[in-house]
Amino acid sequence: MTETGQGKDATVDAEALYKLVKRQLENFWEIETDNREFMIEMIHKALEKLNRSFSVSKNKYYQKNGFSPYNSVQYSVFLYYLSNLAGKAMGGGKIADQIYYLNKIMNGVDWYWAIELPEHFLAEHPVGTVLGRAEYGDYFCVYQGVTVGGNWKQGEIYYPKIGNHVTCYANTSIIGRCEIGDYVVISANSFLKDVQIPDGSLVFGSSPRLVVKNYGKSRIWGYFSECWEVE
């Protein structure tokens, strides 16, 4: 397995990565058909998406050391992209479900293949994160124990809409008909349900008694400049 820094000429060995994923899948399920060519194609596409996301991250494990399947955070994001791409290419199916489930077993994250995480997505120690159906803005960052999901209200289920440059610290929850603006930091252990959060806010506490500090983009940007290369 060749490991590379992002943006360099060398590439990850897709064949070796395919063999690794295949062996891991076969530890849990019987693989019915030989889908090597399809999987190699999906792996290349997943690595391209991974590179675009990590190329603007300041995380040293992404920028300096490059992608490694033995870094569990990087591998969890890779497996999400792989399951998402495979699921969309095949209109669902067993292989997408299996890769999603493999990610859940190995890395402790619940990121179903059918959700659409943004082009730039960063996870820091994401064990226990559950990212459900929602509208995710770009430059989304989560820490451990984060939950995003729907809420039934008057016979209808509502899902959150999350803006660009949103960071969710440990054990935060965004549930139901929430509209989260751009440049928002949600503090650890916060619980948001059916609320609107304006741009440039720092949020803490629990619904219905949330505390929302409207600092504006310029002040909030300081929280993001440590993670991302661009505004």
Side-chain angles (χ1 to χ4, degrees):
M1 181 75 66
T2 302
E3 300 174 11
T4 71
Q6 304 305 314
K8 297 183 180 179
D9 292 334
T11 58
V12 174
D13 186 341
E15 178 69 34
L17 193 52
Y18 162 70
K19 291 178 180 178
L20 177 65
V21 173
K22 182 174 182 289
R23 185 165 63 249
Q24 291 169 343
L25 290 171
E26 289 174 338
N27 283 331
F28 298 100
W29 305 285
E30 182 178 348
I31 306 301
E32 297 174 350
T33 58
D34 183 4
N35 55 4
R36 177 188 171 279
E37 290 186 4
F38 172 77
M39 287 295 292
I40 290 288
E41 180 185 358
M42 294 301 103
I43 285 170
H44 278 298
K45 290 182 177 181
L47 291 171
E48 288 173 3
K49 289 177 71 70
L50 200 72
N51 185 61
R52 285 197 298 272
S53 183
F54 291 173
S55 66
V56 292
S57 168
K58 290 185 178 179
N59 187 300
K60 65 180 180 179
Y61 294 107
Y62 300 153
Q63 285 285 15
K64 295 181 180 179
N65 298 335
F67 171 70
S68 169
Y70 310 115
N71 179 304
S72 63
V73 177
Q74 293 185 26
Y75 197 49
S76 67
V77 181
F78 165 76
L79 288 177
Y80 159 73
Y81 284 139
L82 185 60
S83 66
N84 176 261
L85 289 163
K88 288 191 292 187
M90 300 186 69
K94 184 177 290 186
I95 189 63
D97 286 341
Q98 288 174 335
I99 297 169
Y100 149 73
Y101 200 177
L102 178 68
N103 201 9
K104 190 174 181 178
I105 292 169
M106 293 188 63
N107 300 306
V109 298
D110 193 331
W111 305 339
Y112 190 52
W113 68 262
I115 68 171
E116 287 293 338
L117 294 177
E119 181 172 355
H120 301 102
F121 169 66
L122 181 63
E124 291 280 5
H125 311 292
V127 173
T129 59
V130 180
L131 301 181
R133 297 185 186 276
E135 185 178 315
Y136 294 96
D138 210 3
Y139 298 98
F140 183 53
C141 178
V142 297
Y143 287 72
Q144 64 267 31
V146 169
T147 297
V148 178
N151 177 47
W152 283 95
K153 193 171 184 179
Q154 297 177 340
E156 187 173 355
I157 190 165
Y158 294 93
Y159 296 100
K161 294 182 180 180
I162 300 173
N164 298 322
H165 284 291
V166 173
T167 293
C168 297
Y169 283 98
N171 301 315
T172 66
S173 296
I174 305 174
I175 303 296
R177 200 172 187 175
C178 290
E179 293 188 12
I180 312 300
D182 298 335
Y183 295 94
V184 172
V185 174
I186 302 175
S187 302
N189 301 308
S190 297
F191 177 80
L192 286 67
K193 179 182 176 184
D194 301 331
V195 295
Q196 293 186 331
I197 305 298
D199 296 350
S201 294
L202 173 65
V203 181
F204 55 94
S206 297
S207 296
R209 291 179 291 276
L210 281 174
V211 178
V212 180
K213 301 287 188 180
N214 197 332
Y215 289 146
K217 171 185 170 180
S218 58
R219 183 172 175 184
I220 288 291
W221 173 247
Y223 290 93
F224 300 100
S225 60
E226 296 179 1
C227 299
W228 302 107
E229 291 284 358
V230 297
E231 296 189 26

